[in-house]
Amino acid sequence: MPSSPGEHPSATPRPSAWAPLREPVFRTLWIAGFASDFGAWMHEVGDGWLMTSLSRSPLNVALLQAADSLAIFLLAVPAGALADVVDRRRLAIATQAWLLVVAAVLGVLALAHRVTPVTLIALTFAMGIGAAFDAPLWQAIVAEIVPRTELPRAVTLGGLSINLTRAVAPAVGGLVVAAAGPPAVFFANAAMFAVVLVALARWRRVQPRTVAPTERWLGALRIGLRYTRHAPELVAAFARAAATLFGGVCLLALLPSFARGTLGLGSLGFGFLLGCMGVGAVAAAATLPALEGRLSADTTLSAGTVVLGCALAGLAAAPTATLTAPAMLVAGFAWMSVVSSLNVAVQLATPSWVRARVSSVFMLIFQGALVLGAVVWGLLAAKTSVRAAIACGAAATIVSIAAGRRFPLVARAPDFSPAAWPKPQLVCDPPEDAGPVLVTLTYRVEASKFGAFAAAMRDLERIRRREGAYAWSLYRDPASAELYVEVYSVDSWAEHLRQHERVTAEERAAESRAQKLTIANERDVRHLVAVTQSPTADDS
């Protein structure tokens, strides 16, 4: 909105980074998530330290990171589709209960000295299964309980929770491991999941109203994948994530081996290094909101990538733990900048109806890069040295900046304000599973305007496919100089009714641009449902 006469635009107050915490539900769940993040970082210290006690192989230590990421890689997409079609509160409760049980089982086995490297990797994989359901689910819940205008700050606060706890919990975890052994942190993590369960049980979720038929899981999975394929904003974010995180993950995958084997630190020193990374990330979380509107997401991501690569190079060269700490601070700042930029870009480029599915595809790419990177850098460390592997990871991170030329993050997010189509006027109601459905739109366009019309229709094709069309074509009538027919197909009548409800201001604007180029601003719309005839006696 234009500023008032005499009012300078810079006088507009910048929104507070803490504004989302004014929402009671978000505040309660954020505090519970903070407790869970605290337990998770303590758990990670115990996990890594227990593995270095069972096996000194850098590959086995890196496989812990790979096992967690592999579970998410395999299950994130179907988990995201499930989160978009079932009650998110109930699914969140089930997920937290699973994580509580796995953490408790690991604690019991560790207390009984029955853990082997294989057992630890297997239980880490089981924790990853819970994380595969948990992460896209929480992304969707956050977007549901805060206004869209506050979503970037809510995402940043989520990252702040992770990194505030990273600044303190690893050191606490190191103290606990030194005093009571790894089982104590596993039990503490289980207790934190119980805190989240209490918060979820108190949340009275209001189910969003809808008149469209309920989606089925497999159909929702297919539609979610189709959406991401035809959303260039998302494809760019996914490509940048894969390129950057492949090299950057060497830090997380090799830090336990680097701390214990290379620097000769104890569990407290290992926790201190993780804490330094957390402090750097907290500093980034405090800085990023102030840069909102000044630096684009693409610039923030590119700068963070270069700084992360340089920090990794410094880490590889640092001869002592004292000199390692500054490198970990810088690495934490850069890591937070990279991950936050990517998360915000994905969230802003996604409408609410498909948010969990898109978040799950992002996790698939994210964790796939982490799995591949962890295995590659673990193997390289086993063949050469941990320092050499981290140095190579630093080089790969810096080189990944080249992906920005091919896949720049978009500067403007699409307008996903609801703008539903009116319900079709019918003489009969087709069954929900009737289909496929063929939608035709007839336009009359002057020859002189065809170039502009064709360009407008290309934009519309991308949106139609993204919203659920599995086929799209634009036809011309050879018997008329003005007649054009847009044709697209969807799987069923139920899916087309869902399309009507999902239409956003962006799609309406694209339709308007095409329609304004037609004669008399007209178009004719028809819905055709496939006819299926049951065999009769005469057909036999």
Side-chain angles (χ1 to χ4, degrees):
M1 183 175 69
S3 56
S4 302
E7 178 187 1
H8 195 278
S10 63
T12 303
R14 192 173 293 275
S16 168
W18 306 98
L21 291 174
R22 290 196 292 261
E23 297 290 333
V25 175
F26 178 79
R27 183 171 62 249
T28 299
L29 294 180
W30 188 86
I31 292 171
F34 182 90
S36 181
D37 291 336
F38 200 98
W41 284 115
M42 291 177 63
H43 185 108
E44 184 162 321
V45 172
D47 235 11
W49 200 252
L50 181 57
M51 179 58 86
T52 58
S53 301
L54 298 171
S55 170
R56 291 302 180 96
S57 168
L59 179 58
N60 276 342
V61 176
L63 284 177
L64 277 180
Q65 175 69 49
D68 182 62
S69 298
L70 180 62
I72 300 173
F73 178 80
L74 294 175
L75 296 173
V77 174
L82 189 64
D84 273 332
V85 300
V86 302
D87 186 290
R88 288 170 179 166
R89 174 179 170 274
R90 292 181 180 179
L91 183 59
I93 289 174
T95 300
Q96 295 300 309
W98 167 270
L99 290 167
L100 187 158
V101 169
V102 174
V105 167
L106 179 55
V108 170
L109 292 177
L111 195 61
H113 303 288
R114 300 295 298 271
V115 179
T116 66
V118 173
T119 305
L120 185 55
I121 291 171
L123 288 171
T124 300
F125 183 83
M127 293 289 288
I129 292 174
F133 283 85
D134 193 53
L137 184 58
W138 279 98
Q139 294 279 10
I141 287 173
V142 167
E144 181 179 318
I145 61 180
V146 301
R148 183 172 177 81
T149 54
E150 294 183 359
L151 186 56
R153 286 172 287 282
V155 171
T156 301
L157 281 173
L160 180 63
S161 170
I162 294 172
N163 290 291
L164 276 173
T165 52
R166 179 189 275 166
V168 179
V172 174
L175 284 171
V176 173
V177 168
V185 296
F186 301 147
F187 287 127
N189 192 29
M192 297 305 181
F193 288 128
V195 171
V196 181
L197 280 171
V198 171
L200 288 169
R202 295 179 60 187
W203 174 29
R204 294 296 176 259
R205 180 177 183 247
V206 178
Q207 189 74 23
R209 290 186 177 183
T210 178
V211 297
T214 303
E215 285 188 273
R216 295 179 180 176
W217 178 69
L218 284 176
L221 179 61
R222 183 171 59 252
I223 291 296
L225 293 174
R226 189 177 293 154
Y227 185 95
T228 55
R229 176 186 172 190
H230 294 288
E233 305 90 354
L234 295 174
V235 172
F238 295 165
R240 296 292 292 280
T244 305
L245 298 174
F246 170 75
V249 73
C250 70
L251 176 62
L252 301 178
L254 298 176
L255 189 59
S257 296
F258 184 71
R260 186 167 193 169
T262 305
L263 298 178
L265 298 177
S267 61
L268 185 58
F270 172 48
F272 172 74
L273 290 183
L274 277 175
C276 288
M277 185 177 179
V279 170
V282 169
T287 304
L288 290 175
L291 298 177
E292 188 179 331
R294 300 180 185 180
L295 296 180
S296 67
D298 193 81
T299 301
T300 304
L301 174 59
S302 298
T305 300
V306 172
V307 173
L308 179 60
C310 293
L312 290 173
L315 186 68
T320 65
T322 303
L323 295 177
T324 298
M328 291 297 295
L329 283 167
V330 175
F333 189 100
W335 184 268
M336 178 65 179
S337 301
V338 167
V339 174
S340 180
S341 299
L342 291 168
N343 269 321
V344 169
V346 170
Q347 290 289 330
L348 291 180
T350 310
S352 59
W353 66 269
V354 75
R355 192 176 303 279
R357 279 166 279 188
V358 169
S359 295
S360 68
V361 175
F362 178 52
M363 284 184 59
L364 177 74
I365 305 298
F366 194 105
Q367 297 298 333
L370 296 187
V371 169
L372 183 60
V375 172
V376 168
W377 307 128
L379 285 171
L380 185 60
K383 294 289 185 182
T384 57
S385 70
V386 173
R387 286 190 186 275
I390 294 176
C392 290
T397 302
I398 294 174
V399 168
S400 73
I401 198 71
R405 294 189 176 185
R406 176 68 179 83
F407 299 101
L409 299 185
V410 294
R412 183 188 66 83
D415 184 357
F416 293 126
S417 305
W421 290 325
K423 188 175 181 179
Q425 298 299 312
L426 310 171
V427 296
C428 65
D429 287 321
E432 290 184 1
D433 59 353
V437 174
L438 186 71
V439 182
T440 69
L441 298 93
T442 302
Y443 307 86
R444 292 173 59 236
V445 183
E446 294 176 1
S448 62
K449 296 183 178 180
F450 173 71
F453 177 74
M457 294 305 290
R458 282 194 294 272
D459 290 340
L460 199 52
E461 175 192 3
R462 176 180 59 81
I463 296 174
R464 301 282 200 226
R465 290 183 180 276
R466 192 186 67 188
E467 302 294 335
Y470 65 81
W472 184 96
S473 295
L474 181 64
Y475 293 92
R476 177 174 191 169
D477 185 353
S480 169
E482 302 173 343
L483 198 62
Y484 296 87
V485 180
E486 176 193 5
V487 176
Y488 65 90
S489 302
V490 293
D491 293 314
S492 66
W493 183 248
E495 185 58 37
H496 184 60
L497 291 179
R498 284 190 284 269
Q499 277 188 308
H500 273 253
E501 198 169 81
R502 293 168 179 163
V503 173
T504 63
E506 184 203 17
E507 187 166 357
R508 282 298 190 104
E511 290 179 328
S512 179
R513 287 193 295 271
Q515 193 169 342
K516 285 179 180 178
L517 296 167
T518 64
I519 296 172
N521 197 29
E522 292 181 356
R523 66 177 185 180
D524 178 54
V525 183
R526 294 183 181 275
H527 302 83
L528 307 176
V529 182
V531 175
T532 56
Q533 285 185 317
S534 301
T536 64
D538 294 336
D539 296 324
S540 302

